[in-house]
Amino acid sequence: MSTAEVIDFQTVNIAELEPSQAVRALVEQAADLKASDIFFLSDETNLRVAMRRMGRLENLAEVSPQQGRHLISYLKAQAGIDIAERRRPQEGRWIFDREGGRIDLRINIIPTLHGEDLAARILDRKQGLRTLESLGLTKGDHQKLTALLASPSGLILVTGPTGTGKTTTLYACLQHLNNGTRKINTLEDPVEYQLSGIRQSSVQTRLSVDFPEMLRNVLRQAPDVIMIGEIRDEETAATAVQAANSGHLVLATLHAPVAAGAVQSMRALNSHPFFLASCLLGVLAQRLVRKLCQNCRTAYDISESPDTFAEVQGLLDPGLGTFIYGPSGCDQCRNQGYSGQVGVFELMSFTRDLRQMVLAGRPTEDLQKQAIVGGMIEFRRAAMLKIAQGLTSTEEVLRELPAEYLGLEM
């Protein structure tokens, strides 16, 4: 129990319910609390049900091992997964109908020492889709991103660790582009949200239909815009760069710690420097931080330290930057002090100077410095803006962003 924070909002006695009722109660509770995942974790003496909410693990319930097996069997049956198979990893999908909308559960099961563990990604079709305006970009970065998306061809990368909202950002970009004048194709693993007017395809690794295979065939569909769920191998990277250089606008996610690091990641996948430099339009790196509950946040006067936000004062609206806010706790946020999440971004737009540096093979640090000279708001200042605006706390920023990106020495 040390890995999760025990919470006090459990409203039903799961042990007294039938498996179908218990599963539905747990999934509904997790969805109502806007959790991203729900987990059924088999231990020696019990099965623990937990959820990931605002990036953190929180307990929902504990049941006996026997009832836990019944819960997992019910979920497997609903997702079309073989109930008798307990020795191999399995996955499936359950469209969960409830009042007010449908929830898409992407289920994965693996065998563990004490039984099966089940993880279900919760995709609430009412909550999932966001617009560019709602992501948390600064006004300047929003304008830069929309300008990049207006380009007829080129490569735009969205980077960050797993669970930082990269796919949400790509969907927001697709909605912005989806005005009926472009043919848009996506390659996803799996398709998370259905978008009307967009041609969406899912890779099928079991059938040896992977990203490279799908991408080669999508190019024959004459798209204007291609979204690639993730660039994870050399062939996908090469084909994405080729497509971006041949008249297509390509959007993709990539694992890189900062915006400038995307170039090194693409180099590691053997992307040709000349073709990469000529097609890169921009890189959006992002992290997620919890938003302070606006009902109970605590304000701390910093008028005696007027230079606290000096670096970002010119980016703040009048009246901001005189307080630092911290978490408190109330009924509205269930005494967490936080409610929801917001993105912290750095957007690197590629200029002629940056393209020359990519072509010359310059290191990430040099690219980062040049991007800042060219007007990029790096993670450190982007985080300071969120703190000065009262959207998050210093503690939360330090927890989510590595100290090296905040200009701190540990």
Side-chain angles (χ1 to χ4, degrees):
M1 300 273 295
S2 62
T3 59
E5 178 184 357
V6 178
I7 51 178
D8 59 3
F9 53 76
Q10 189 171 337
T11 59
V12 292
N13 187 351
I14 298 300
E16 297 178 357
L17 299 178
E18 293 294 321
S20 60
Q21 295 174 313
V23 167
R24 286 184 172 272
L26 289 165
V27 172
E28 293 234 11
Q29 191 174 41
D32 288 341
L33 292 169
K34 299 180 180 179
S36 61
D37 306 88
I38 185 168
F39 305 101
F40 294 76
L41 307 172
S42 298
D43 293 324
E44 185 175 8
T45 59
N46 58 56
L47 179 133
R48 182 162 59 97
V49 184
M51 66 178 176
R52 177 172 286 119
R53 176 170 170 262
M54 294 187 293
R56 287 190 167 185
L57 201 65
E58 301 177 0
N59 284 342
L60 283 173
E62 285 187 2
V63 299
S64 68
Q66 181 180 7
Q67 187 181 10
R69 287 192 292 270
H70 292 323
L71 298 182
I72 289 178
S73 292
Y74 177 78
L75 277 159
K76 290 168 76 172
Q78 296 302 310
I81 296 172
D82 185 356
I83 295 177
E85 178 59 72
R86 293 190 176 92
R87 297 171 300 174
R88 297 173 61 87
Q90 298 188 86
E91 57 184 26
R93 179 182 182 187
W94 179 19
I95 304 298
F96 182 93
D97 289 304
R98 68 169 184 158
E99 185 177 351
R102 307 175 82 189
I103 297 173
D104 194 343
L105 295 177
R106 304 297 171 84
I107 294 173
N108 180 273
I109 300 172
I110 62 169
T112 68
L113 181 62
H114 299 297
E116 292 179 298
D117 276 8
L118 184 148
R121 171 63 57 89
I122 301 173
L123 301 173
D124 191 337
R125 297 184 179 183
K126 293 190 307 178
Q127 305 287 344
L129 294 176
R130 306 281 293 273
T131 63
L132 286 182
E133 291 76 15
S134 67
L135 294 178
L137 293 161
T138 65
K139 292 179 182 178
D141 281 349
H142 178 266
Q143 292 173 353
K144 290 178 182 178
L145 182 56
T146 54
L148 295 178
L149 291 171
S151 303
S153 64
L155 178 61
I156 300 174
L157 297 172
V158 180
T159 75
T162 300
T164 53
K166 299 187 297 296
T167 301
T168 298
T169 297
L170 283 185
Y171 273 110
C173 292
L174 292 179
Q175 289 189 96
H176 175 80
L177 292 167
N178 188 25
N179 59 6
T181 64
R182 303 174 179 88
K183 185 173 186 293
I184 303 174
N185 281 76
T186 74
L187 304 178
E188 305 173 61
D189 184 19
V191 174
E192 294 197 5
Y193 296 101
Q194 297 179 24
L195 298 175
S196 178
I198 293 178
R199 322 315 303 163
Q200 295 175 266
S201 301
S202 179
V203 300
Q204 303 288 339
T205 52
R206 290 181 179 177
L207 303 176
S208 298
V209 182
D210 52 14
F211 275 115
E213 174 73 16
M214 287 293 292
L215 183 52
R216 286 194 301 269
N217 284 277
V218 161
L219 288 171
R220 300 188 185 106
Q221 294 284 319
D224 298 300
V225 179
I226 304 171
M227 187 271 268
I228 304 171
E230 183 181 349
I231 295 177
R232 59 177 69 154
D233 57 74
E234 293 184 12
E235 189 173 355
T236 303
T239 309
V241 169
Q242 178 186 355
N245 273 299
S246 59
H248 303 86
L249 180 62
V250 180
L251 313 177
T253 72
L254 182 72
H255 285 289
V258 292
V263 174
Q264 185 61 41
S265 294
M266 291 295 286
R267 284 177 185 157
L269 294 173
N270 288 326
S271 292
H272 193 286
F274 174 79
F275 296 116
L276 181 62
S278 62
C279 76
L280 262 176
L281 295 174
V283 180
L284 183 68
Q286 62 185 73
R287 296 289 193 280
L288 285 179
V289 295
R290 291 182 296 170
K291 291 174 62 177
L292 286 166
C293 174
Q294 299 298 297
N295 182 62
C296 67
R297 63 180 184 175
T298 301
Y300 300 96
D301 189 358
I302 57 169
S303 57
E304 295 184 0
S305 303
D307 295 332
T308 301
F309 297 115
E311 285 188 271
V312 295
Q313 196 64 54
L315 301 170
L316 291 171
D317 291 333
L320 295 178
T322 56
F323 292 91
I324 283 182
Y325 295 87
S328 180
C330 66
D331 291 340
Q332 287 190 21
C333 63
R334 302 182 182 274
N335 292 314
Q336 300 288 303
Y338 297 91
S339 179
Q341 292 175 290
V342 67
V344 179
F345 302 92
E346 59 178 24
L347 177 57
M348 184 176 184
S349 298
F350 277 78
T351 61
R352 180 179 297 178
D353 289 339
L354 281 171
R355 294 184 197 282
Q356 290 294 328
M357 294 174 73
V358 172
L359 188 58
R362 299 283 287 277
T364 297
E365 293 77 11
D366 292 351
L367 294 171
Q368 184 85 350
K369 291 176 182 177
Q370 180 60 40
I372 294 172
V373 170
M376 183 182 79
I377 301 173
E378 77 283 10
F379 273 140
R380 182 170 61 85
R381 287 187 294 159
M384 289 177 66
L385 276 172
K386 292 293 188 292
I387 296 170
Q389 292 165 342
L391 293 176
T392 193
S393 65
T394 304
E395 297 84 359
E396 180 67 7
V397 165
L398 292 174
R399 187 177 74 89
E400 291 295 338
L401 275 75
E404 61 185 298
Y405 304 141
L406 299 173
L408 303 176
E409 295 184 1
M410 300 300 287

